[in-house]
Amino acid sequence: MSCSEQLMAALDALDQAFASEESFPVTGCTYCYGEQDFTELSGPPHLIADDLVSSVAAKVPDHWDDLPRLYRRLVPRVIRSLVTGRLHVDEELIASRLVRAGWTTWDVHLTEALREVWSAWWQSTLLTHPGPVSVRRSLSFIAVVTGSLRPWLDAWTATRAPAADAHLADLVDDVMFEFEITDLRMGFYGEYDATVELLGWLLTDVRDRVADARLDEPFLREHLRAAARHPG
């Protein structure tokens, strides 16, 4: 099974895992949404218009009287659109919304289905260049939503493929612009400080795979040592 097929299988499994989520009367901000919207959101998820799904996914939590429950019902729609590049909402914002909705506290079969998607999506991303979502946005999403960056970097290190190396070149070119890497925060609200982990990884684990002389700047290693001594 190819990586793209594995991702589609994980998304299908996600649909199945969340199929048991029951409908409920959705209520929220009547300034932004009308009764027709609430009625639609209270019905079958597959009948909700794409634009409404995107709107709900992006709105601040206090727009809804029960954000976690609403997000659980919409997660399969949101995530499938996100990983295929069709959601048209900032990926990092969705990660922040999922964290706010407390996705890791949901029933085990739901969280396991989501973790399978994260893994399948990341592997598909590494082996597909270009992809529907940039590698930086994909990595930022997964780091924020899981609260961890290193496992995904380790997977990248282990993936020796032209597409993975092309993504690596893209990422370095992105984060080395004006040396953003020296103060790199991931997440829509900058909630994940990635500087030490990402810079350390670039200067060691994958340095031989990147043809970018900017990584040889002496001050970067000193900055890394200082950042590691004084995190945050």
Side-chain angles (χ1 to χ4, degrees):
M1 184 182 294
S2 69
C3 59
S4 59
E5 291 172 334
Q6 290 174 342
L7 175 57
M8 289 303 108
L11 290 171
D12 290 343
L14 187 69
D15 289 340
Q16 290 298 319
F18 281 79
S20 60
E21 287 296 304
E22 297 180 356
S23 59
F24 70 101
V26 175
T27 53
C29 175
T30 55
Y31 181 80
C32 297
Y33 299 94
E35 284 304 317
Q36 182 177 342
D37 297 320
F38 293 131
T39 298
E40 192 170 334
L41 290 169
S42 302
H46 69 279
L47 296 180
I48 302 172
D50 291 342
D51 288 348
L52 185 54
V53 171
S54 296
S55 176
V56 172
K59 287 293 186 182
V60 294
D62 62 10
H63 272 69
W64 312 103
D65 294 334
D66 193 342
L67 173 73
R69 192 174 182 185
L70 177 58
Y71 236 81
R72 282 200 305 274
R73 293 195 67 233
L74 295 183
V75 151
R77 289 282 306 276
V78 172
I79 297 304
R80 185 181 290 270
S81 295
L82 185 146
V83 303
T84 55
R86 295 182 291 106
L87 187 61
H88 307 304
V89 176
D90 190 295
E91 293 82 5
E92 292 180 310
L93 178 60
I94 300 303
S96 297
R97 294 286 183 262
L98 279 166
V99 171
R100 178 66 180 271
W103 77 271
T104 58
T105 67
W106 298 347
D107 291 345
V108 173
H109 73 287
L110 302 180
T111 60
E112 286 182 347
L114 282 166
R115 293 183 194 281
E116 287 297 321
V117 171
W118 309 152
S119 295
W121 181 35
W122 185 234
Q123 196 60 29
S124 179
T125 295
L126 292 178
L127 294 175
T128 308
H129 184 275
V133 180
S134 75
V135 74
R136 176 171 178 173
R137 288 185 174 274
S138 300
L139 183 61
S140 295
F141 175 94
I142 294 177
V144 170
V145 83
T146 65
S148 181
L149 181 60
R150 190 69 210 190
W152 312 105
L153 295 179
D154 288 343
W156 201 341
T157 302
T159 305
R160 292 273 183 170
D165 288 346
H167 279 304
L168 185 55
D170 290 345
L171 179 70
V172 170
D173 192 53
D174 191 345
V175 302
M176 293 301 290
F177 179 70
E178 296 185 347
F179 292 99
E180 181 189 5
I181 188 64
T182 59
D183 184 20
L184 183 64
R185 294 182 176 274
M186 293 179 167
F188 191 79
Y189 302 105
E191 54 263 59
Y192 193 100
D193 187 347
T195 300
V196 172
E197 289 173 288
L198 188 58
L199 180 56
W201 179 73
L202 290 173
L203 294 179
T204 55
D205 298 46
V206 292
R207 181 64 191 91
D208 62 331
R209 294 163 62 179
V210 185
D212 194 313
R214 288 174 295 181
L215 288 171
D216 296 324
E217 290 287 345
F219 86 92
L220 286 178
R221 290 190 178 277
E222 177 55 37
H223 180 85
L224 179 60
R225 286 191 290 268
R229 287 195 302 266
H230 305 287

